[in-house]
Amino acid sequence: SSSKGPQSDDVADADGSQSVPVIGFVQTGAESDWRKAHSESVRDAAKASGYDLRFADGQGKQENQIKALSSFVAQGVDGIILSPLVETGWDNVLEKAKKRDIPVLILDRQVDVKDDSLYVTYIGADTYNEGRLAAEWLIEETGGTAKVVELQGTPGASPTINRFKGFRDVIADHSGIEIIATQSGDFRRSKGKEVMEAMLKKHGDDIDVVYAHNDDMAIGAIQAIEDAGKKPGDDIILVSIDGVRGAFEAMVEGKLNCTVECNPLQGPMAFEAMDKILAGDTADIPKKQMIKDEVYDRDTAKDVIDSRKY
Ligand code: GZL
């Protein structure tokens, strides 16, 4: 018959069905709306691509991620996808995967390892450029004079390191932009609100701008600013990163001024790469695959909010 029956190299299960490749996915946790969209994109793409996805939630702790990686290696999965909470501390556990010939794809955040043959490819957004774009928008918006408080993401995470640096590399040429306070809100809305409350107590009327490493913390800061009797978006300008639905809603309300998109819909690209990896076609897979980002502000928010996909 013309249909492709079981091929000799396909291992058929007892019930005669073809065995599907098993992928272990180690996620950071569920710290933000962005992260939830990211997890959904990976799950949906796994299903669409016919993979058996085993999902491990790191719950915001690197040791949980390392344990999950070791367990996937012990299970002998066909491939691993890792979204590393922080950049360092991965060499030993990735060495275990390499010894078992299990390919590893790094997704979203980056790892800093001595031997980059420990992973096949990295797919994610250019978070350094996102920091630059946020600063460029701010200089344009304020004419180059503003006192800024910064809400940093998770300490040691590549987007935190990159957004911290990208922003500073741009304002370095604009002495009128001054960062008067910086602290981590761990990419979480509740922590962003808490840190902003403290910053308002300490710096109050001095604050012109909030630069938040993600929208969830910006939305927390908006609540703190309103609780302090100030108008977010007007008394204090807010610029953040991610482009999640909540950010567009806040911009339509005029409470957030700008968000730099960081696309979480990375599932399809991840499994396109995994297909090639499992087929042994790794020669044409680049070591780094960056996803493009867009800048959105209050004026364009209502025109695009209905077309947003996350
Ligand atoms: C960025 C991603 C960050 C988002 C946060 O690539 O790792 O983690 O900006 C998320 O919202 O928690």
Side-chain angles (χ1 to χ4, degrees), residues 27-36 38 83-85 107-110 122-127 130 153-154 157-160 163 186-188 213-217 241-244 260 262-264 266:
Q27 182 58 294
T28 59
E31 71 278 355
S32 62
D33 288 353
W34 187 97
R35 185 61 55 195
K36 291 166 193 152
H38 186 250
S83 269
L85 186 75
L107 191 66
D108 170 38
R109 297 187 186 174
Q110 292 164 291
Y122 162 75
I123 297 172
D126 185 344
T127 52
E130 290 158 0
T154 303
S158 59
T160 305
R163 289 167 183 169
D186 205 25
F187 284 131
R188 286 184 291 109
H213 287 188
N214 82 331
D215 294 335
D216 284 56
M217 293 190 292
I241 299 173
D242 274 353
V244 295
V260 177
C262 170
N263 196 325
Q266 304 177 351

Side-chain angles (χ1 to χ4, degrees), residues 11-205:
V11 177
D13 292 342
D15 61 7
S17 68
Q18 303 310 324
S19 68
V20 295
V22 176
I23 300 295
F25 173 41
V26 183
Q27 182 58 294
T28 59
E31 71 278 355
S32 62
D33 288 353
W34 187 97
R35 185 61 55 195
K36 291 166 193 152
H38 186 250
S39 293
E40 194 180 329
S41 173
V42 173
R43 288 182 198 275
D44 291 354
K47 215 181 283 138
S49 312
Y51 284 88
D52 170 0
L53 187 77
R54 291 181 189 164
F55 184 101
D57 177 348
Q59 294 177 314
K61 289 190 169 56
Q62 180 175 27
E63 67 260 26
N64 294 342
Q65 293 197 304
I66 290 174
K67 274 198 209 102
L69 284 167
S70 302
S71 155
F72 285 142
V73 171
Q75 293 166 38
V77 297
D78 297 292
I80 285 173
I81 298 176
L82 168 65
S83 269
L85 186 75
V86 294
E87 276 193 349
T88 55
W90 303 103
D91 303 76
N92 295 343
V93 70
L94 293 182
E95 199 58 56
K96 285 188 195 168
K98 187 176 181 182
K99 281 206 179 62
R100 285 279 309 255
D101 275 335
I102 298 174
V104 175
L105 185 159
I106 305 297
L107 191 66
D108 170 38
R109 297 187 186 174
Q110 292 164 291
V111 293
D112 174 9
V113 288
K114 276 184 280 307
D115 166 12
D116 73 3
S117 76
L118 288 173
Y119 63 92
V120 179
T121 187
Y122 162 75
I123 297 172
D126 185 344
T127 52
Y128 171 74
N129 189 45
E130 290 158 0
R132 293 184 62 88
L133 290 171
E136 283 158 10
W137 178 87
L138 185 62
I139 288 158
E140 181 71 25
E141 179 73 12
T142 60
T145 304
K147 288 190 182 342
V148 181
V149 295
E150 178 184 37
L151 300 177
Q152 291 190 39
T154 303
S158 59
T160 305
I161 294 165
N162 296 338
R163 289 167 183 169
F164 180 96
K165 187 170 181 328
F167 189 86
R168 282 165 177 70
D169 286 354
V170 169
I171 68 169
D173 310 333
H174 297 267
S175 55
I177 305 275
E178 188 193 348
I179 298 176
I180 60 172
T182 181
Q183 193 177 332
S184 175
D186 205 25
F187 284 131
R188 286 184 291 109
R189 187 177 300 198
S190 55
K191 191 87 190 307
K193 179 177 181 183
E194 202 184 294
V195 169
M196 190 64 206
E197 281 162 357
M199 286 177 166
L200 281 162
K201 280 201 186 73
K202 189 150 179 253
H203 300 282
D205 298 341

